[in-house]
Structures are given as structure tokens and as C-alpha cells.
Amino acid sequence: MLDSLSSPDVSTRLRAFLDDRAPATPCLVMDLDVVRANYRALRAALPEAAVFYAVKANPAPEVVAALVAEGSAFDVASTGEIDLCLAQGAAPESLSYGNPIKKPADIAHAFARGVRRFTFDSDGDLANLAEHAPGSRVSCRFLVDAPASGTPFGRKFGCAPQMALRLLARAADLGLDVDGACFHVGSQHTDPAAWTAGIAQAAWIARGLAECGVPTRSLNLGGGFPTAYRTPAPPLAAHAAAIRAAVAEHFDTAPELLIEPGRAVVATAGLIRSEVVLVSRKSDTDEHRWVYLDIGRYSGLAETENEYIAYRLRTAHPVESPDGPVIIAGPTCDGDDVLYQHTPYRLPTALRAGDHVDILDAGAYTASYSSVSFNGFPPLPTLFVG
Ligand SMILES: *Cc1c(COP(=O)(O)O)cnc(C)c1O
């Protein structure tokens, strides 16, 4: 696959910004118009679902402010994210504390700030919610039984559906306001059937609760909506159709739907501009060149771990220029700071130190992972257009 196309798919505004400003590399440039367009596309594809943007995908205040103006609600995971959203004008009622791993003090802080929606998946967290967030709306996250996603969560979050049923009944006994079940199919999920499986399990939980006299109100479908990186992803419409069909099939009365997209809101709005530090070979006869960039695993490209996410790359060399196979690595002195050695990438043979390599669709899970100045390389700065 040729990756050295000369940028037909980067917005003209982004390109003009890069040409005019020539920002120091590496940097992430976010087009806020694309963030707004992605949010509207999600609303249009699934108008029956309230959107809670998952802040961790890109917590830049500018992104949060743009989404507040669009009317989005927010999935937050910490006191830091709560305070960030409130500072950008989000109403406390629009925040959902979706992280089931929290300290009693975190719950108390959220409650004091006016947050009234929480997710739990354990007896311990439920007891803390009853004590520190009395009367709040709660949902229980269960572990969905579906094939793994592009960047799976493993078993860290969610309990068995049977246990979710028991915990939600207990939540009602504890005086909490039961919303219902929630799940997350795993990030970058390219199989719409994953939501179908989760919805069937959630309906089973809702029926069980109804039998115990505990009515439920909503179903939170989580995030996971995919972005087309080097490999295509099904369109939003395919996910929406699968969700709608499964809700109609498994629920007698349709619950209020919530979605918590992160990646699908911000990924395509961002471009990382990097610079080639060095091009070398490991032997005089080696077919592969090693291309070292000024950005790596520790300064924004965390999702290249296991080569889970294979970004599209662009250089300024013409499309038709000869290319060859490369291994792409970051600049630090860490042996794991190799971006792609198994995924076949090709870059122009004329590529030299000092040339730019643009990393497309890099608006999600990049700058937010780049918070530590590992090895003296600073965190990734974000610039904005729009
Ligand atoms: C990370 C996260 C999301 C967002 O997931 P995406 O795959 O980026 O859409 C949504 N909900 C929760 C609870 C999360 O932790």
C-alpha cells in the first residue's frame, strides 16, 4: 500500500494553516469544524440517542467548548475531567461519571459539583455511591459477550450480566435512582453485531429487574464507533441500523438511548505533523529502511502499541515517486518505541531527514496520552483551526 500520496484528503483549511504557520514539530492540529461535523453526523445517524462525548479521547478545552456549544453531554472519568467540562460551560446535569473505578472522595467531589449520573460495576463502588451520591441516577456496566475490538479493554470493566441484575436491584434498595444497564464493546469496533450482543444482554437484565419490581429507564451503549484508518470501517449508518434493529427485537418498550463516542467525534479532526530525524539501514544489504520520527509511543502515538491502530501517513513527495518498505520508530532511547515493524508501510525512497511525515486521523487518544516528558521529549502540543 502506497502511503506517500500528496495529501488529497487533508482539509484545505488544515493544509493552509500548516503552510502559513509552519508550526514546530511534532504537533497535533485539530480542525474544530470537523469535530462539530462529526458530532452532527452521530446525532443524525442515531437521533434517538443522547450523545455523551467521552472526554478522554481528546480533553482539549477547545474541543470540549465546541461540543458544549453543540449541545453535547459528556462522559467523564475523574475529578479533573469534571472540572475541565464545568470550566468550559458544561452543565453539571450533562455530565455522566462513567468510570467504575473511583475513590469515595472522587464521588463526593462530583456530587458536590452537581453531577448526578454515575456508573458502577461492583458492590464496593455501589456502596460508596449510596453514601456519597445519595439519590443519584446509576447504571451498571456489564461485560459484553462479543468479539474483541481493535483496541480491546479486556476484562477490566463490567461485571457478569447476572451480577449486574443483582447490583441494580440492590441500588434501588439503597435509594438510588436506577437508570439501567450499560456496556462498552471496546474501542475501534468494526463489527456492528457487537452492539447487537450487548443490547440482547441488556434487555435480559431489564426484564429481570422488571420482574423484581425495579423499572429501568435507559440503555447506555457506550462508545467504540470506529474510524477508518488504513483499513476501512463500516459507516455509522450500519451501526445505527444494527442498534435500532436489536433494540426493537429485544425490548418491548424502547429505553432512552445514550451513546458515549470518543474516537468517532475527534479522530478525523486531527493531523499530527512530524519530522524525520534519521533514515538508516541495519546492514548495507537491508531492504528495509528505518525511519525515525520526532514523535513516538511516548509523545502521542500510544495507540501504535501492538500496532493496533495503523494510521495513514502522508509526505510532501509526489504520489508517483518510487517507494520502498520501511520500519517506523520514535525518537526515544526505548526499545519498545517502534511504531510499525509488522504492519507493512512504504515511504518514498527520496525521504530524507528534515522531511515532514503527516499522520492522519490522529485527533483521538494521542495528545491525551502524551502527558509525561519521557526521556526529555515534551508532551505533544495541540493547535486549533476553526
Ligand atoms: C473510553 C470510553 C468511551 C469512548 O470510547 P470510544 O471507543 O473512543 O468511542 C466511552 N465510554 C467509556 C466509559 C469509556 O471509558
Side-chain angles (χ1 to χ4, degrees), residues 293-316:
L293 302 178
D294 61 359
I295 184 170
R297 183 80 68 75
Y298 305 103
S299 43
L301 299 179
E303 287 207 307
T304 58
E305 186 177 353
N306 295 321
E307 309 193 17
Y308 275 145
I309 299 294
Y311 295 101
R312 295 184 293 152
L313 305 180
R314 297 290 181 264
T315 74

Side-chain angles (χ1 to χ4, degrees), residues 251-315:
F251 281 85
D252 295 335
T253 328
E256 289 172 21
L257 294 183
L258 283 66
I259 55 173
E260 298 173 339
R263 187 185 304 279
V265 178
V266 287
T268 59
L271 174 149
I272 288 174
R273 169 148 288 188
S274 74
E275 185 180 302
V276 177
V277 178
L278 179 73
V279 181
S280 70
R281 289 177 205 269
K282 295 298 171 191
S283 77
D284 292 333
T285 53
D286 195 355
E287 190 203 1
H288 282 83
R289 288 163 300 151
W290 281 67
V291 173
Y292 300 90
L293 302 178
D294 61 359
I295 184 170
R297 183 80 68 75
Y298 305 103
S299 43
L301 299 179
E303 287 207 307
T304 58
E305 186 177 353
N306 295 321
E307 309 193 17
Y308 275 145
I309 299 294
Y311 295 101
R312 295 184 293 152
L313 305 180
R314 297 290 181 264
T315 74

Side-chain angles (χ1 to χ4, degrees), residues 52-58 75-77 96-100 119 141 149 151 153 157 182-189 195 220-226 259-266 303 364-365 369:
F52 285 69
Y53 168 63
V55 172
K56 76 174 184 292
N58 188 319
D75 169 57
V76 292
S96 168
Y97 199 145
N99 187 351
T119 296
R141 181 156 166 188
S149 70
T151 62
F153 285 121
F157 304 108
C182 66
F183 63 90
H184 193 304
V185 294
S187 203
Q188 183 65 9
H189 215 302
W195 280 270
N220 182 336
L221 302 164
F225 304 97
I259 55 173
E260 298 173 339
R263 187 185 304 279
V265 178
V266 287
E303 287 207 307
Y365 302 115
Y369 275 125

Side-chain angles (χ1 to χ4, degrees), residues 106-337:
D106 301 332
I107 298 170
H109 176 98
F111 192 74
R113 293 280 186 279
V115 177
R116 293 292 180 272
R117 286 175 191 259
F118 296 85
T119 296
F120 65 91
D121 67 0
S122 65
D123 278 292
D125 195 38
L126 173 58
N128 289 336
L129 287 170
E131 184 176 347
H132 299 286
S136 291
R137 299 173 63 152
V138 292
S139 47
C140 184
R141 181 156 166 188
F142 66 93
L143 193 55
V144 63
D145 188 12
S149 70
T151 62
F153 285 121
R155 292 169 45 79
K156 181 169 175 184
F157 304 108
C159 58
Q162 293 79 357
M163 184 168 153
L165 209 177
R166 174 178 70 72
L167 289 176
L168 283 166
R170 181 170 170 228
D173 285 345
L174 290 170
L176 291 159
D177 183 7
V178 171
D179 258 337
C182 66
F183 63 90
H184 193 304
V185 294
S187 203
Q188 183 65 9
H189 215 302
T190 50
D191 183 359
W195 280 270
T196 309
I199 289 164
Q201 288 173 277
W204 180 86
I205 296 170
R207 275 197 304 277
L209 285 165
E211 283 164 20
C212 313
V214 178
T216 51
R217 182 193 290 127
S218 65
L219 170 58
N220 182 336
L221 302 164
F225 304 97
T227 293
Y229 293 98
R230 287 212 333 181
T231 32
L236 275 177
H239 296 280
I243 287 168
R244 213 167 271 135
V247 170
E249 182 184 343
H250 296 286
F251 281 85
D252 295 335
T253 328
E256 289 172 21
L257 294 183
L258 283 66
I259 55 173
E260 298 173 339
R263 187 185 304 279
V265 178
V266 287
T268 59
L271 174 149
I272 288 174
R273 169 148 288 188
S274 74
E275 185 180 302
V276 177
V277 178
L278 179 73
V279 181
S280 70
R281 289 177 205 269
K282 295 298 171 191
S283 77
D284 292 333
T285 53
D286 195 355
E287 190 203 1
H288 282 83
R289 288 163 300 151
W290 281 67
V291 173
Y292 300 90
L293 302 178
D294 61 359
I295 184 170
R297 183 80 68 75
Y298 305 103
S299 43
L301 299 179
E303 287 207 307
T304 58
E305 186 177 353
N306 295 321
E307 309 193 17
Y308 275 145
I309 299 294
Y311 295 101
R312 295 184 293 152
L313 305 180
R314 297 290 181 264
T315 74
H317 293 270
V319 187
E320 60 281 1
S321 48
D323 64 15
V326 290
I327 291 169
I328 304 173
T332 65
C333 298
D334 181 308
D336 286 333
D337 189 10

